[in-house]
Amino acid sequence: MKTIAKILVVAAMAASMAACTSNEMTTSQRNAAIGAVVGGATGNLIGGDTGATLGGAALGGMIGSQIK
């Protein structure tokens, strides 16, 4: 079951990264989305639970939005 969940997470990450190629997003928004995806994945790998995933996504999104 964990393999299916990991495949779904990777698919969701790929879809969200593809959405970031649109010209409608500002640089700050694109960086926040990328940071949230990377932070969520990293939080899941480190913590292995929902809280770590959400915390990583929130922190990654905040850091990503500050990158110019």
PDB file of all heavy atoms in Angstrom, residues 20-68:
ATOM      1  N   CYS A  20       3.093  24.844 -13.006  1.00  0.00           N
ATOM      2  CA  CYS A  20       3.933  26.017 -12.747  1.00  0.00           C
ATOM      3  C   CYS A  20       4.552  26.585 -14.013  1.00  0.00           C
ATOM      4  O   CYS A  20       5.179  27.630 -13.971  1.00  0.00           O
ATOM      5  CB  CYS A  20       5.048  25.668 -11.761  1.00  0.00           C
ATOM      6  SG  CYS A  20       4.442  25.343 -10.109  1.00  0.00           S
ATOM      7  N   THR A  21       4.410  25.912 -15.139  1.00  0.00           N
ATOM      8  CA  THR A  21       5.006  26.414 -16.369  1.00  0.00           C
ATOM      9  C   THR A  21       4.134  27.467 -17.029  1.00  0.00           C
ATOM     10  O   THR A  21       4.540  28.086 -17.991  1.00  0.00           O
ATOM     11  CB  THR A  21       5.252  25.271 -17.361  1.00  0.00           C
ATOM     12  OG1 THR A  21       4.001  24.662 -17.699  1.00  0.00           O
ATOM     13  CG2 THR A  21       6.204  24.249 -16.790  1.00  0.00           C
ATOM     14  N   SER A  22       2.943  27.679 -16.520  1.00  0.00           N
ATOM     15  CA  SER A  22       2.031  28.668 -17.092  1.00  0.00           C
ATOM     16  C   SER A  22       2.578  30.075 -16.890  1.00  0.00           C
ATOM     17  O   SER A  22       3.206  30.383 -15.890  1.00  0.00           O
ATOM     18  CB  SER A  22       0.664  28.549 -16.422  1.00  0.00           C
ATOM     19  OG  SER A  22      -0.163  29.606 -16.810  1.00  0.00           O
ATOM     20  N   ASN A  23       2.310  30.948 -17.848  1.00  0.00           N
ATOM     21  CA  ASN A  23       2.754  32.341 -17.747  1.00  0.00           C
ATOM     22  C   ASN A  23       1.842  33.168 -16.860  1.00  0.00           C
ATOM     23  O   ASN A  23       2.076  34.351 -16.670  1.00  0.00           O
ATOM     24  CB  ASN A  23       2.820  32.965 -19.144  1.00  0.00           C
ATOM     25  CG  ASN A  23       3.957  32.405 -19.947  1.00  0.00           C
ATOM     26  OD1 ASN A  23       4.950  31.954 -19.389  1.00  0.00           O
ATOM     27  ND2 ASN A  23       3.828  32.419 -21.250  1.00  0.00           N
ATOM     28  N   GLU A  24       0.783  32.587 -16.346  1.00  0.00           N
ATOM     29  CA  GLU A  24      -0.163  33.320 -15.524  1.00  0.00           C
ATOM     30  C   GLU A  24       0.306  33.495 -14.084  1.00  0.00           C
ATOM     31  O   GLU A  24      -0.223  34.327 -13.370  1.00  0.00           O
ATOM     32  CB  GLU A  24      -1.516  32.619 -15.546  1.00  0.00           C
ATOM     33  CG  GLU A  24      -2.147  32.584 -16.928  1.00  0.00           C
ATOM     34  CD  GLU A  24      -3.435  31.822 -16.952  1.00  0.00           C
ATOM     35  OE1 GLU A  24      -4.003  31.570 -15.873  1.00  0.00           O
ATOM     36  OE2 GLU A  24      -3.877  31.474 -18.042  1.00  0.00           O
ATOM     37  N   MET A  25       1.270  32.722 -13.646  1.00  0.00           N
ATOM     38  CA  MET A  25       1.763  32.813 -12.275  1.00  0.00           C
ATOM     39  C   MET A  25       2.926  33.795 -12.213  1.00  0.00           C
ATOM     40  O   MET A  25       3.746  33.857 -13.124  1.00  0.00           O
ATOM     41  CB  MET A  25       2.236  31.450 -11.768  1.00  0.00           C
ATOM     42  CG  MET A  25       1.150  30.425 -11.631  1.00  0.00           C
ATOM     43  SD  MET A  25       1.770  28.844 -11.039  1.00  0.00           S
ATOM     44  CE  MET A  25       1.869  29.186  -9.309  1.00  0.00           C
ATOM     45  N   THR A  26       2.995  34.527 -11.117  1.00  0.00           N
ATOM     46  CA  THR A  26       4.152  35.392 -10.908  1.00  0.00           C
ATOM     47  C   THR A  26       5.326  34.528 -10.451  1.00  0.00           C
ATOM     48  O   THR A  26       5.155  33.363 -10.066  1.00  0.00           O
ATOM     49  CB  THR A  26       3.855  36.457  -9.843  1.00  0.00           C
ATOM     50  OG1 THR A  26       3.660  35.805  -8.586  1.00  0.00           O
ATOM     51  CG2 THR A  26       2.642  37.286 -10.204  1.00  0.00           C
ATOM     52  N   THR A  27       6.495  35.097 -10.477  1.00  0.00           N
ATOM     53  CA  THR A  27       7.683  34.359 -10.034  1.00  0.00           C
ATOM     54  C   THR A  27       7.554  33.952  -8.580  1.00  0.00           C
ATOM     55  O   THR A  27       7.910  32.828  -8.208  1.00  0.00           O
ATOM     56  CB  THR A  27       8.939  35.221 -10.237  1.00  0.00           C
ATOM     57  OG1 THR A  27       9.027  35.588 -11.616  1.00  0.00           O
ATOM     58  CG2 THR A  27      10.196  34.474  -9.848  1.00  0.00           C
ATOM     59  N   SER A  28       7.033  34.830  -7.757  1.00  0.00           N
ATOM     60  CA  SER A  28       6.866  34.532  -6.336  1.00  0.00           C
ATOM     61  C   SER A  28       5.880  33.376  -6.125  1.00  0.00           C
ATOM     62  O   SER A  28       6.124  32.498  -5.312  1.00  0.00           O
ATOM     63  CB  SER A  28       6.394  35.779  -5.602  1.00  0.00           C
ATOM     64  OG  SER A  28       6.213  35.511  -4.235  1.00  0.00           O
ATOM     65  N   GLN A  29       4.791  33.371  -6.886  1.00  0.00           N
ATOM     66  CA  GLN A  29       3.807  32.293  -6.765  1.00  0.00           C
ATOM     67  C   GLN A  29       4.390  30.966  -7.230  1.00  0.00           C
ATOM     68  O   GLN A  29       4.170  29.927  -6.607  1.00  0.00           O
ATOM     69  CB  GLN A  29       2.558  32.615  -7.591  1.00  0.00           C
ATOM     70  CG  GLN A  29       1.740  33.746  -7.038  1.00  0.00           C
ATOM     71  CD  GLN A  29       0.642  34.179  -7.999  1.00  0.00           C
ATOM     72  OE1 GLN A  29       0.772  34.033  -9.211  1.00  0.00           O
ATOM     73  NE2 GLN A  29      -0.433  34.710  -7.447  1.00  0.00           N
ATOM     74  N   ARG A  30       5.115  30.994  -8.332  1.00  0.00           N
ATOM     75  CA  ARG A  30       5.731  29.773  -8.856  1.00  0.00           C
ATOM     76  C   ARG A  30       6.747  29.216  -7.864  1.00  0.00           C
ATOM     77  O   ARG A  30       6.777  28.016  -7.590  1.00  0.00           O
ATOM     78  CB  ARG A  30       6.395  30.067 -10.198  1.00  0.00           C
ATOM     79  CG  ARG A  30       6.902  28.836 -10.898  1.00  0.00           C
ATOM     80  CD  ARG A  30       7.452  29.113 -12.291  1.00  0.00           C
ATOM     81  NE  ARG A  30       6.815  30.252 -12.916  1.00  0.00           N
ATOM     82  CZ  ARG A  30       7.474  31.362 -13.301  1.00  0.00           C
ATOM     83  NH1 ARG A  30       8.770  31.460 -13.135  1.00  0.00           N
ATOM     84  NH2 ARG A  30       6.831  32.367 -13.853  1.00  0.00           N
ATOM     85  N   ASN A  31       7.579  30.090  -7.300  1.00  0.00           N
ATOM     86  CA  ASN A  31       8.571  29.643  -6.323  1.00  0.00           C
ATOM     87  C   ASN A  31       7.907  29.111  -5.058  1.00  0.00           C
ATOM     88  O   ASN A  31       8.390  28.151  -4.453  1.00  0.00           O
ATOM     89  CB  ASN A  31       9.526  30.779  -5.979  1.00  0.00           C
ATOM     90  CG  ASN A  31      10.459  31.107  -7.120  1.00  0.00           C
ATOM     91  OD1 ASN A  31      10.632  30.312  -8.042  1.00  0.00           O
ATOM     92  ND2 ASN A  31      11.055  32.283  -7.084  1.00  0.00           N
ATOM     93  N   ALA A  32       6.790  29.711  -4.648  1.00  0.00           N
ATOM     94  CA  ALA A  32       6.065  29.217  -3.477  1.00  0.00           C
ATOM     95  C   ALA A  32       5.495  27.833  -3.738  1.00  0.00           C
ATOM     96  O   ALA A  32       5.556  26.957  -2.867  1.00  0.00           O
ATOM     97  CB  ALA A  32       4.944  30.187  -3.100  1.00  0.00           C
ATOM     98  N   ALA A  33       4.955  27.616  -4.926  1.00  0.00           N
ATOM     99  CA  ALA A  33       4.398  26.300  -5.263  1.00  0.00           C
ATOM    100  C   ALA A  33       5.489  25.240  -5.321  1.00  0.00           C
ATOM    101  O   ALA A  33       5.330  24.131  -4.789  1.00  0.00           O
ATOM    102  CB  ALA A  33       3.664  26.373  -6.598  1.00  0.00           C
ATOM    103  N   ILE A  34       6.597  25.575  -5.938  1.00  0.00           N
ATOM    104  CA  ILE A  34       7.710  24.626  -6.004  1.00  0.00           C
ATOM    105  C   ILE A  34       8.244  24.344  -4.607  1.00  0.00           C
ATOM    106  O   ILE A  34       8.520  23.192  -4.256  1.00  0.00           O
ATOM    107  CB  ILE A  34       8.818  25.163  -6.932  1.00  0.00           C
ATOM    108  CG1 ILE A  34       8.315  25.197  -8.376  1.00  0.00           C
ATOM    109  CG2 ILE A  34      10.088  24.327  -6.825  1.00  0.00           C
ATOM    110  CD1 ILE A  34       9.221  25.935  -9.335  1.00  0.00           C
ATOM    111  N   GLY A  35       8.382  25.376  -3.786  1.00  0.00           N
ATOM    112  CA  GLY A  35       8.852  25.196  -2.416  1.00  0.00           C
ATOM    113  C   GLY A  35       7.913  24.326  -1.598  1.00  0.00           C
ATOM    114  O   GLY A  35       8.348  23.494  -0.803  1.00  0.00           O
ATOM    115  N   ALA A  36       6.609  24.498  -1.802  1.00  0.00           N
ATOM    116  CA  ALA A  36       5.634  23.686  -1.070  1.00  0.00           C
ATOM    117  C   ALA A  36       5.731  22.220  -1.467  1.00  0.00           C
ATOM    118  O   ALA A  36       5.654  21.324  -0.610  1.00  0.00           O
ATOM    119  CB  ALA A  36       4.229  24.209  -1.321  1.00  0.00           C
ATOM    120  N   VAL A  37       5.909  21.957  -2.752  1.00  0.00           N
ATOM    121  CA  VAL A  37       6.025  20.569  -3.214  1.00  0.00           C
ATOM    122  C   VAL A  37       7.296  19.928  -2.662  1.00  0.00           C
ATOM    123  O   VAL A  37       7.277  18.816  -2.114  1.00  0.00           O
ATOM    124  CB  VAL A  37       6.003  20.495  -4.754  1.00  0.00           C
ATOM    125  CG1 VAL A  37       6.369  19.106  -5.243  1.00  0.00           C
ATOM    126  CG2 VAL A  37       4.626  20.892  -5.273  1.00  0.00           C
ATOM    127  N   VAL A  38       8.405  20.631  -2.804  1.00  0.00           N
ATOM    128  CA  VAL A  38       9.680  20.086  -2.318  1.00  0.00           C
ATOM    129  C   VAL A  38       9.660  19.945  -0.797  1.00  0.00           C
ATOM    130  O   VAL A  38      10.093  18.924  -0.255  1.00  0.00           O
ATOM    131  CB  VAL A  38      10.853  20.976  -2.783  1.00  0.00           C
ATOM    132  CG1 VAL A  38      12.160  20.547  -2.129  1.00  0.00           C
ATOM    133  CG2 VAL A  38      10.973  20.925  -4.296  1.00  0.00           C
ATOM    134  N   GLY A  39       9.130  20.939  -0.103  1.00  0.00           N
ATOM    135  CA  GLY A  39       9.054  20.873   1.360  1.00  0.00           C
ATOM    136  C   GLY A  39       8.140  19.759   1.836  1.00  0.00           C
ATOM    137  O   GLY A  39       8.450  19.064   2.802  1.00  0.00           O
ATOM    138  N   GLY A  40       7.011  19.572   1.164  1.00  0.00           N
ATOM    139  CA  GLY A  40       6.101  18.487   1.535  1.00  0.00           C
ATOM    140  C   GLY A  40       6.727  17.119   1.330  1.00  0.00           C
ATOM    141  O   GLY A  40       6.597  16.228   2.176  1.00  0.00           O
ATOM    142  N   ALA A  41       7.408  16.953   0.217  1.00  0.00           N
ATOM    143  CA  ALA A  41       8.072  15.673  -0.047  1.00  0.00           C
ATOM    144  C   ALA A  41       9.185  15.412   0.962  1.00  0.00           C
ATOM    145  O   ALA A  41       9.330  14.297   1.475  1.00  0.00           O
ATOM    146  CB  ALA A  41       8.622  15.657  -1.467  1.00  0.00           C
ATOM    147  N   THR A  42       9.953  16.450   1.259  1.00  0.00           N
ATOM    148  CA  THR A  42      11.036  16.300   2.229  1.00  0.00           C
ATOM    149  C   THR A  42      10.482  16.017   3.629  1.00  0.00           C
ATOM    150  O   THR A  42      11.005  15.154   4.341  1.00  0.00           O
ATOM    151  CB  THR A  42      11.899  17.574   2.253  1.00  0.00           C
ATOM    152  OG1 THR A  42      12.375  17.827   0.938  1.00  0.00           O
ATOM    153  CG2 THR A  42      13.070  17.421   3.204  1.00  0.00           C
ATOM    154  N   GLY A  43       9.427  16.730   4.009  1.00  0.00           N
ATOM    155  CA  GLY A  43       8.813  16.478   5.315  1.00  0.00           C
ATOM    156  C   GLY A  43       8.288  15.064   5.433  1.00  0.00           C
ATOM    157  O   GLY A  43       8.408  14.433   6.485  1.00  0.00           O
ATOM    158  N   ASN A  44       7.718  14.544   4.347  1.00  0.00           N
ATOM    159  CA  ASN A  44       7.217  13.176   4.367  1.00  0.00           C
ATOM    160  C   ASN A  44       8.360  12.178   4.484  1.00  0.00           C
ATOM    161  O   ASN A  44       8.252  11.192   5.210  1.00  0.00           O
ATOM    162  CB  ASN A  44       6.395  12.898   3.109  1.00  0.00           C
ATOM    163  CG  ASN A  44       5.659  11.580   3.183  1.00  0.00           C
ATOM    164  OD1 ASN A  44       5.811  10.838   4.131  1.00  0.00           O
ATOM    165  ND2 ASN A  44       4.860  11.304   2.193  1.00  0.00           N
ATOM    166  N   LEU A  45       9.455  12.431   3.773  1.00  0.00           N
ATOM    167  CA  LEU A  45      10.595  11.520   3.850  1.00  0.00           C
ATOM    168  C   LEU A  45      11.225  11.530   5.234  1.00  0.00           C
ATOM    169  O   LEU A  45      11.629  10.490   5.744  1.00  0.00           O
ATOM    170  CB  LEU A  45      11.638  11.897   2.800  1.00  0.00           C
ATOM    171  CG  LEU A  45      11.267  11.611   1.355  1.00  0.00           C
ATOM    172  CD1 LEU A  45      12.333  12.172   0.416  1.00  0.00           C
ATOM    173  CD2 LEU A  45      11.111  10.122   1.132  1.00  0.00           C
ATOM    174  N   ILE A  46      11.312  12.696   5.842  1.00  0.00           N
ATOM    175  CA  ILE A  46      11.957  12.789   7.157  1.00  0.00           C
ATOM    176  C   ILE A  46      11.032  12.309   8.267  1.00  0.00           C
ATOM    177  O   ILE A  46      11.420  11.496   9.091  1.00  0.00           O
ATOM    178  CB  ILE A  46      12.412  14.241   7.427  1.00  0.00           C
ATOM    179  CG1 ILE A  46      13.539  14.614   6.472  1.00  0.00           C
ATOM    180  CG2 ILE A  46      12.864  14.410   8.880  1.00  0.00           C
ATOM    181  CD1 ILE A  46      13.950  16.066   6.530  1.00  0.00           C
ATOM    182  N   GLY A  47       9.799  12.821   8.283  1.00  0.00           N
ATOM    183  CA  GLY A  47       8.893  12.504   9.383  1.00  0.00           C
ATOM    184  C   GLY A  47       8.026  11.289   9.159  1.00  0.00           C
ATOM    185  O   GLY A  47       7.683  10.580  10.081  1.00  0.00           O
ATOM    186  N   GLY A  48       7.627  11.065   7.904  1.00  0.00           N
ATOM    187  CA  GLY A  48       6.832   9.887   7.578  1.00  0.00           C
ATOM    188  C   GLY A  48       5.376   9.959   8.014  1.00  0.00           C
ATOM    189  O   GLY A  48       4.708   8.936   8.043  1.00  0.00           O
ATOM    190  N   ASP A  49       4.884  11.149   8.368  1.00  0.00           N
ATOM    191  CA  ASP A  49       3.476  11.240   8.748  1.00  0.00           C
ATOM    192  C   ASP A  49       2.872  12.515   8.162  1.00  0.00           C
ATOM    193  O   ASP A  49       3.552  13.330   7.561  1.00  0.00           O
ATOM    194  CB  ASP A  49       3.292  11.185  10.260  1.00  0.00           C
ATOM    195  CG  ASP A  49       3.924  12.348  10.997  1.00  0.00           C
ATOM    196  OD1 ASP A  49       4.647  13.136  10.363  1.00  0.00           O
ATOM    197  OD2 ASP A  49       3.692  12.479  12.202  1.00  0.00           O
ATOM    198  N   THR A  50       1.583  12.666   8.334  1.00  0.00           N
ATOM    199  CA  THR A  50       0.865  13.783   7.740  1.00  0.00           C
ATOM    200  C   THR A  50       1.322  15.132   8.294  1.00  0.00           C
ATOM    201  O   THR A  50       1.457  16.102   7.550  1.00  0.00           O
ATOM    202  CB  THR A  50      -0.651  13.626   7.971  1.00  0.00           C
ATOM    203  OG1 THR A  50      -1.049  12.363   7.464  1.00  0.00           O
ATOM    204  CG2 THR A  50      -1.434  14.716   7.289  1.00  0.00           C
ATOM    205  N   GLY A  51       1.569  15.191   9.580  1.00  0.00           N
ATOM    206  CA  GLY A  51       2.003  16.447  10.193  1.00  0.00           C
ATOM    207  C   GLY A  51       3.323  16.934   9.634  1.00  0.00           C
ATOM    208  O   GLY A  51       3.494  18.127   9.365  1.00  0.00           O
ATOM    209  N   ALA A  52       4.259  16.019   9.454  1.00  0.00           N
ATOM    210  CA  ALA A  52       5.554  16.392   8.895  1.00  0.00           C
ATOM    211  C   ALA A  52       5.414  16.838   7.444  1.00  0.00           C
ATOM    212  O   ALA A  52       6.078  17.784   7.015  1.00  0.00           O
ATOM    213  CB  ALA A  52       6.526  15.221   8.991  1.00  0.00           C
ATOM    214  N   THR A  53       4.535  16.181   6.697  1.00  0.00           N
ATOM    215  CA  THR A  53       4.310  16.559   5.303  1.00  0.00           C
ATOM    216  C   THR A  53       3.716  17.953   5.207  1.00  0.00           C
ATOM    217  O   THR A  53       4.173  18.790   4.424  1.00  0.00           O
ATOM    218  CB  THR A  53       3.379  15.546   4.618  1.00  0.00           C
ATOM    219  OG1 THR A  53       3.950  14.241   4.725  1.00  0.00           O
ATOM    220  CG2 THR A  53       3.185  15.883   3.150  1.00  0.00           C
ATOM    221  N   LEU A  54       2.695  18.220   6.011  1.00  0.00           N
ATOM    222  CA  LEU A  54       2.058  19.537   5.990  1.00  0.00           C
ATOM    223  C   LEU A  54       2.998  20.628   6.486  1.00  0.00           C
ATOM    224  O   LEU A  54       3.034  21.730   5.939  1.00  0.00           O
ATOM    225  CB  LEU A  54       0.782  19.519   6.829  1.00  0.00           C
ATOM    226  CG  LEU A  54      -0.348  18.638   6.285  1.00  0.00           C
ATOM    227  CD1 LEU A  54      -1.513  18.612   7.266  1.00  0.00           C
ATOM    228  CD2 LEU A  54      -0.789  19.127   4.933  1.00  0.00           C
ATOM    229  N   GLY A  55       3.745  20.340   7.527  1.00  0.00           N
ATOM    230  CA  GLY A  55       4.711  21.304   8.041  1.00  0.00           C
ATOM    231  C   GLY A  55       5.798  21.615   7.023  1.00  0.00           C
ATOM    232  O   GLY A  55       6.177  22.775   6.834  1.00  0.00           O
ATOM    233  N   GLY A  56       6.291  20.582   6.362  1.00  0.00           N
ATOM    234  CA  GLY A  56       7.307  20.778   5.333  1.00  0.00           C
ATOM    235  C   GLY A  56       6.777  21.583   4.161  1.00  0.00           C
ATOM    236  O   GLY A  56       7.466  22.450   3.618  1.00  0.00           O
ATOM    237  N   ALA A  57       5.529  21.311   3.764  1.00  0.00           N
ATOM    238  CA  ALA A  57       4.922  22.053   2.657  1.00  0.00           C
ATOM    239  C   ALA A  57       4.731  23.521   3.031  1.00  0.00           C
ATOM    240  O   ALA A  57       5.002  24.415   2.217  1.00  0.00           O
ATOM    241  CB  ALA A  57       3.591  21.424   2.272  1.00  0.00           C
ATOM    242  N   ALA A  58       4.280  23.781   4.243  1.00  0.00           N
ATOM    243  CA  ALA A  58       4.086  25.170   4.683  1.00  0.00           C
ATOM    244  C   ALA A  58       5.410  25.913   4.741  1.00  0.00           C
ATOM    245  O   ALA A  58       5.527  27.047   4.253  1.00  0.00           O
ATOM    246  CB  ALA A  58       3.397  25.188   6.048  1.00  0.00           C
ATOM    247  N   LEU A  59       6.406  25.291   5.333  1.00  0.00           N
ATOM    248  CA  LEU A  59       7.714  25.933   5.443  1.00  0.00           C
ATOM    249  C   LEU A  59       8.346  26.126   4.070  1.00  0.00           C
ATOM    250  O   LEU A  59       8.895  27.188   3.771  1.00  0.00           O
ATOM    251  CB  LEU A  59       8.622  25.100   6.344  1.00  0.00           C
ATOM    252  CG  LEU A  59       9.986  25.682   6.666  1.00  0.00           C
ATOM    253  CD1 LEU A  59       9.819  27.011   7.390  1.00  0.00           C
ATOM    254  CD2 LEU A  59      10.771  24.717   7.527  1.00  0.00           C
ATOM    255  N   GLY A  60       8.255  25.110   3.219  1.00  0.00           N
ATOM    256  CA  GLY A  60       8.809  25.218   1.866  1.00  0.00           C
ATOM    257  C   GLY A  60       8.123  26.294   1.054  1.00  0.00           C
ATOM    258  O   GLY A  60       8.769  27.030   0.296  1.00  0.00           O
ATOM    259  N   GLY A  61       6.807  26.417   1.201  1.00  0.00           N
ATOM    260  CA  GLY A  61       6.078  27.453   0.486  1.00  0.00           C
ATOM    261  C   GLY A  61       6.463  28.841   0.936  1.00  0.00           C
ATOM    262  O   GLY A  61       6.618  29.763   0.123  1.00  0.00           O
ATOM    263  N   MET A  62       6.661  29.012   2.236  1.00  0.00           N
ATOM    264  CA  MET A  62       7.067  30.317   2.757  1.00  0.00           C
ATOM    265  C   MET A  62       8.473  30.675   2.281  1.00  0.00           C
ATOM    266  O   MET A  62       8.726  31.816   1.872  1.00  0.00           O
ATOM    267  CB  MET A  62       7.020  30.330   4.279  1.00  0.00           C
ATOM    268  CG  MET A  62       5.611  30.361   4.809  1.00  0.00           C
ATOM    269  SD  MET A  62       5.375  30.537   6.603  1.00  0.00           S
ATOM    270  CE  MET A  62       6.934  30.284   7.337  1.00  0.00           C
ATOM    271  N   ILE A  63       9.376  29.719   2.328  1.00  0.00           N
ATOM    272  CA  ILE A  63      10.744  29.994   1.869  1.00  0.00           C
ATOM    273  C   ILE A  63      10.766  30.247   0.371  1.00  0.00           C
ATOM    274  O   ILE A  63      11.418  31.176  -0.106  1.00  0.00           O
ATOM    275  CB  ILE A  63      11.671  28.834   2.263  1.00  0.00           C
ATOM    276  CG1 ILE A  63      11.842  28.781   3.781  1.00  0.00           C
ATOM    277  CG2 ILE A  63      13.024  28.964   1.567  1.00  0.00           C
ATOM    278  CD1 ILE A  63      12.568  27.556   4.278  1.00  0.00           C
ATOM    279  N   GLY A  64      10.023  29.425  -0.377  1.00  0.00           N
ATOM    280  CA  GLY A  64       9.992  29.588  -1.826  1.00  0.00           C
ATOM    281  C   GLY A  64       9.443  30.929  -2.265  1.00  0.00           C
ATOM    282  O   GLY A  64       9.918  31.517  -3.238  1.00  0.00           O
ATOM    283  N   SER A  65       8.471  31.448  -1.545  1.00  0.00           N
ATOM    284  CA  SER A  65       7.879  32.732  -1.927  1.00  0.00           C
ATOM    285  C   SER A  65       8.837  33.898  -1.708  1.00  0.00           C
ATOM    286  O   SER A  65       8.672  34.956  -2.313  1.00  0.00           O
ATOM    287  CB  SER A  65       6.588  32.974  -1.146  1.00  0.00           C
ATOM    288  OG  SER A  65       6.860  33.233   0.215  1.00  0.00           O
ATOM    289  N   GLN A  66       9.838  33.708  -0.882  1.00  0.00           N
ATOM    290  CA  GLN A  66      10.797  34.782  -0.600  1.00  0.00           C
ATOM    291  C   GLN A  66      11.975  34.801  -1.567  1.00  0.00           C
ATOM    292  O   GLN A  66      12.726  35.760  -1.603  1.00  0.00           O
ATOM    293  CB  GLN A  66      11.322  34.649   0.834  1.00  0.00           C
ATOM    294  CG  GLN A  66      10.233  34.775   1.880  1.00  0.00           C
ATOM    295  CD  GLN A  66       9.474  36.079   1.775  1.00  0.00           C
ATOM    296  OE1 GLN A  66      10.063  37.143   1.691  1.00  0.00           O
ATOM    297  NE2 GLN A  66       8.151  35.992   1.754  1.00  0.00           N
ATOM    298  N   ILE A  67      12.121  33.758  -2.349  1.00  0.00           N
ATOM    299  CA  ILE A  67      13.231  33.675  -3.314  1.00  0.00           C
ATOM    300  C   ILE A  67      12.866  34.493  -4.538  1.00  0.00           C
ATOM    301  O   ILE A  67      11.793  34.330  -5.113  1.00  0.00           O
ATOM    302  CB  ILE A  67      13.514  32.214  -3.699  1.00  0.00           C
ATOM    303  CG1 ILE A  67      13.997  31.446  -2.469  1.00  0.00           C
ATOM    304  CG2 ILE A  67      14.552  32.146  -4.817  1.00  0.00           C
ATOM    305  CD1 ILE A  67      14.176  29.977  -2.713  1.00  0.00           C
ATOM    306  N   LYS A  68      13.743  35.360  -4.946  1.00  0.00           N
ATOM    307  CA  LYS A  68      13.482  36.226  -6.104  1.00  0.00           C
ATOM    308  C   LYS A  68      14.107  35.660  -7.344  1.00  0.00           C
ATOM    309  O   LYS A  68      15.150  35.241  -7.448  1.00  0.00           O
ATOM    310  CB  LYS A  68      14.012  37.640  -5.857  1.00  0.00           C
ATOM    311  CG  LYS A  68      13.404  38.290  -4.655  1.00  0.00           C
ATOM    312  CD  LYS A  68      11.964  38.620  -4.894  1.00  0.00           C
ATOM    313  CE  LYS A  68      11.375  39.246  -3.635  1.00  0.00           C
ATOM    314  NZ  LYS A  68      10.007  39.336  -3.612  1.00  0.00           N
TER     315      LYS A  68
END
